[in-house]
């Protein structure tokens, strides 16, 4: 009998991360930026350590350092001291303030605190101060990420009335890997079109070694470029789930009548075709030949290896939009995503997956949101997938059920290449396809009594 959804009062190994973590990651993608968590020191320490473990790079996150007295009487003084200390020690161009559970619970009015701080320092040159509400008991890390993108675009473009349109494109890629962001920049450069990508931590969180400590690693989206986002010709925003929600792209569309192309994360041929077609539509330029060749090689590899993947059963888990994108890719190569799981609860998850798979009901696909890894393992035991696809947090299930784990997304804590996993475009699909096929071949080879060495 198939497991049914049961209501429990605890979460066992959540399939999501805390909201201010997503905000902190986003703020790291802005040039000269310091993320500031308004709350207790433990929050910033946990998030800093978590990000370092994935990216293998130093990550500075400031904190307003709540104590017992602050928790009772409020954190206005602490936030002011935090601003003063950060400005004195770092002289940043941007400070992104994200709240934690504690400051949200006591009801700190952070926007008022920021207004008062600006008024008290009106004669001083202050960095851009952006606030986003990120209580961890409301939403996931991806909500914190997207809310921070929108808040930053909202605040930095709100005071400007742009007179003319430029030929640039705003790209909001979402929470992808540094390798993905580098690939996106390569694509736009090959199209020879100006662009602003927000965020851009492709160098900041995957850079070369330093001779000495740097307060601000090289890279990031420049503040002046964010301010000028209202002059762009169009926006491109990744995420089928995000397309149903309030977002930075929709804000610019409403405020400046700017066309916004809400497309899925470009994983696999179908979604990547949509991405390149969007750029062609905006720019009037043809896709460079190198990407047409990448597409051709990918199709050829599908033909070469379809017999190894056709009918394979997979369990996919992670952030909702990433799972939807992976499902689209799996569907086009013949793998059945028998279990699709996420800790998110947007309300759109199942419908978007159903859109990806025409014979969704016939294949008996199970979709669960607002889930944890205990819940996921219960279903996996019954559905018996051949492979797992998701972050390293699913390793316990992989080990328990003796199912290979294909690591994608965030976090990757038990391998060293989390920053360099390429998920998107024809090139990313090629790498993921090869990894999946070789993992299946290795599983077959290791379980063979012959131990063959020739396919």
């Amino acid at each position: 009998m198939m497991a049914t959804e049961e209501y429990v009062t605890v979460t066992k190994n959540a399939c999501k991360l805390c909201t201010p973590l997503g905000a902190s990651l986003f703020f790291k993608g802005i040039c000269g930026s310091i993320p500031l968590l308004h709350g207790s020191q433990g929050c910033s320490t946990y998030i800093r350590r978590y990000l370092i473990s994935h990216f293998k790079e130093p990550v500075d996150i400031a904190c307003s350092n709540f104590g017992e007295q602050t928790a009772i009487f409020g954190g206005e003084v602490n936030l002011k001291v935090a601003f003063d200390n950060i400005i004195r020690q770092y002289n940043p161009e941007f400070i992104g303030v994200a709240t934690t559970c504690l400051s949200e619970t006591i009801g700190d009015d952070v926007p008022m605190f920021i207004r008062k701080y600006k008024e008290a320092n009106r004669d001083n040159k202050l960095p851009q101060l952006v606030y986003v509400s990120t209580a961890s008991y409301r939403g996931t890390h991806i909500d914190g990420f997207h809310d921070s993108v929108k808040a930053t675009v909202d605040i930095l473009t709100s005071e400007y009335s742009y007179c003319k349109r430029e030929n640039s494109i705003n790209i909001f890629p979402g929470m992808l890997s540094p390798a993905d962001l580098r690939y996106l920049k390569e694509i736009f450069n090959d199209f020879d079109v100006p662009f602003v990508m927000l965020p851009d931590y492709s160098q900041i969180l995957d850079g070369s070694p330093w001779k000495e400590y740097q307060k601000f690693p090289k890279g990031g989206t420049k503040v002046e470029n964010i301010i000028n986002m209202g002059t762009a010709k169009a926006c491109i925003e990744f995420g089928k789930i995000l397309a149903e929600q309030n977002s930075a792209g929709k804000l610019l569309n409403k405020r400046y009548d700017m066309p916004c192309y809400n497309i899925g994360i470009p994983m696999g041929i179908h979604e990547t075709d949509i991405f390149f077609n969007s750029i062609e539509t905006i720019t009037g330029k043809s896709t460079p030949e190198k990407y047409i060749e990448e597409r051709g090689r990918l199709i050829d590899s599908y033909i070469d290896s379809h017999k190894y993947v056709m009918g394979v059963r997979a369990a996919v888990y992670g952030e909702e939009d990433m799972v939807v994108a992976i499902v689209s890719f799996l569907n086009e190569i013949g793998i059945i995503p028998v279990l699709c799981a996420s800790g998110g609860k947007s309300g759109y998850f199942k419908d978007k997956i159903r859109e990806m798979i025409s014979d969704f009901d016939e294949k008996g696909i199970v979709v669960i949101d607002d889930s944890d890894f205990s819940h996921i393992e219960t279903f996996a035991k019954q559905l018996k997938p051949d492979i797992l696809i998701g972050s390293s947090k699913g390793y316990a299930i992989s080990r328990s059920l003796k199912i290979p784990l294909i690591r994608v997304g965030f976090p990757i804590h038990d391998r060293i290449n989390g920053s360099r996993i390429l998920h998107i475009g024809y090139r990313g699909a090629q790498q993921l396809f090869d990894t999946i096929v070789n993992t299946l071949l290795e599983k077959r080879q290791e379980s063979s009594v012959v131990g063959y060495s020739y396919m």
Side-chain angles (χ1 to χ4, degrees):
M1 179 182 295
M2 179 64 62
T4 57
E5 187 170 356
E6 57 180 299
Y7 295 92
V8 294
T9 57
V10 296
T11 296
K12 302 176 184 177
N13 193 8
C15 188
K16 61 181 179 180
L17 301 166
C18 73
T19 321
L21 184 148
S24 298
L25 177 57
F26 166 75
F27 290 137
K28 288 300 295 182
I30 297 175
C31 181
S33 169
I34 292 290
L36 168 59
L37 296 188
H38 185 49
S40 62
Q41 212 169 51
C43 295
S44 59
T45 301
Y46 151 70
I47 290 173
R48 188 166 55 241
R49 179 67 186 88
Y50 213 88
L51 293 174
I52 289 171
S53 183
H54 175 87
F55 292 105
K56 307 297 188 290
E57 296 285 355
V59 177
D60 284 354
I61 298 176
C63 178
S64 58
N65 197 20
F66 270 43
E68 293 178 358
Q69 184 174 358
T70 318
I72 296 171
F73 296 107
E76 180 177 4
V77 173
N78 288 53
L79 189 62
K80 175 186 177 300
V81 171
F83 284 149
D84 289 342
N85 288 338
I86 292 169
I87 292 169
R88 184 179 67 254
Q89 295 178 36
Y90 287 88
N91 190 27
E93 296 181 46
F94 182 101
I95 299 176
V97 183
T99 47
T100 67
C101 297
L102 183 53
S103 59
E104 288 276 349
T105 299
I106 66 173
D108 265 356
D109 189 346
V110 178
M112 182 190 70
F113 297 165
I114 292 176
R115 284 195 304 271
K116 290 174 67 175
Y117 185 80
K118 286 181 175 180
E119 289 169 4
N121 291 273
R122 62 168 59 94
D123 295 330
N124 301 324
K125 187 175 186 243
L126 294 177
Q128 294 286 347
L129 302 176
V130 171
Y131 155 73
V132 61
S133 173
T134 52
S136 281
Y137 47 75
R138 184 183 64 246
T140 71
H141 61 293
I142 202 67
D143 295 314
F145 188 100
H146 289 315
D147 288 349
S148 299
V149 179
K150 183 183 176 186
T152 299
V153 171
D154 185 13
I155 292 172
L156 267 61
T157 66
S158 62
E159 298 178 4
Y160 297 88
S161 178
Y162 303 103
C163 301
K164 63 176 182 176
R165 282 274 189 263
E166 302 292 345
N167 288 323
S168 65
I169 297 175
N170 295 327
I171 173 73
F172 299 107
M175 192 170 160
L176 297 178
S177 75
D180 292 323
L181 301 184
R182 284 193 292 272
Y183 187 40
L184 284 173
K185 291 195 288 187
E186 180 182 340
I187 290 170
F188 282 104
N189 285 330
D190 286 337
F191 267 94
D192 192 25
V193 57
F195 66 96
V196 178
M197 183 166 67
L198 184 66
D200 179 12
Y201 43 78
S202 59
Q203 289 178 282
I204 294 172
L205 294 177
D206 191 24
S208 54
W210 305 335
K211 290 184 179 180
E212 58 184 33
Y213 176 73
Q214 297 180 25
K215 292 181 179 179
F216 297 108
K218 183 180 179 181
T221 309
K222 293 182 179 179
V223 170
E224 67 241 39
N225 289 342
I226 303 173
I227 291 172
N228 289 321
M229 275 185 147
T231 67
K233 189 173 185 179
C235 297
I236 300 178
E237 200 164 49
F238 293 164
K240 297 281 189 180
I241 304 294
L242 185 63
E244 304 294 338
Q245 301 170 327
N246 292 326
S247 65
K250 294 185 187 67
L251 184 149
L252 290 173
N253 171 262
K254 183 177 180 180
R255 183 174 289 173
Y256 301 112
D257 194 26
M258 184 182 300
C260 181
Y261 292 74
N262 293 102
I263 63 177
I265 298 175
M267 294 181 68
I269 292 174
H270 178 72
E271 295 299 323
T272 303
D273 283 351
I274 294 173
F275 172 50
F276 277 100
N277 289 340
S278 299
I279 301 177
E280 288 183 344
T281 300
I282 296 168
T283 64
K285 298 181 178 182
S286 299
T287 297
E289 185 64 26
K290 72 186 255 189
Y291 299 105
I292 296 173
E293 292 176 357
E294 283 182 4
R295 187 181 190 275
R297 286 192 294 270
L298 179 59
I299 292 173
D300 187 62
S301 70
Y302 282 8
I303 296 169
D304 292 339
S305 302
H306 76 278
K307 60 186 176 182
Y308 303 119
V309 296
M310 186 61 64
V312 167
R313 298 163 64 83
V316 189
Y317 59 87
E319 179 264 310
E320 289 178 298
D321 264 323
M322 179 63 78
V323 172
V324 171
I326 293 170
V327 166
S328 175
F329 166 68
L330 295 180
N331 187 55
E332 74 182 22
I333 65 175
I335 291 181
I336 306 170
V338 292
L339 177 59
C340 307
S342 178
K345 49 180 179 179
S346 67
Y348 304 106
F349 188 46
K350 187 172 184 176
D351 289 341
K352 294 301 178 182
I353 290 175
R354 185 183 290 274
E355 290 176 10
M356 298 289 111
I357 305 173
S358 59
D359 53 352
F360 177 92
D361 293 316
E362 290 84 345
K363 287 180 175 175
I365 295 169
V366 174
V367 179
I368 50 174
D369 62 0
D370 195 20
S371 61
D372 59 22
F373 281 98
S374 175
H375 199 193
I376 294 169
E377 183 170 5
T378 299
F379 279 95
K381 285 178 180 177
Q382 299 184 44
L383 293 167
K384 302 187 185 319
D386 300 299
I387 54 173
L388 298 174
I389 302 178
S391 72
S392 62
K393 290 193 74 177
Y395 175 68
I397 298 175
S398 169
R399 182 180 176 90
S400 172
L401 302 184
K402 296 180 173 54
I403 304 170
L405 171 61
I406 310 293
R407 290 166 176 81
V408 299
F410 178 92
I412 309 295
H413 286 165
D414 58 350
R415 295 293 185 271
I416 65 166
N417 65 331
S419 296
R420 296 183 294 278
I421 296 175
L422 184 62
H423 306 85
I424 66 168
Y426 305 123
R427 200 181 301 170
Q430 186 71 76
Q431 291 187 16
L432 183 55
F433 182 74
D434 291 346
T435 300
I436 291 173
V437 173
N438 285 329
T439 299
L440 292 168
L441 289 174
E442 181 180 5
K443 180 184 178 185
R444 181 187 298 185
Q445 188 178 36
E446 291 299 318
S447 61
S448 168
V449 294
V450 178
Y452 60 87
S453 58
Y454 188 85
M455 290 166 54

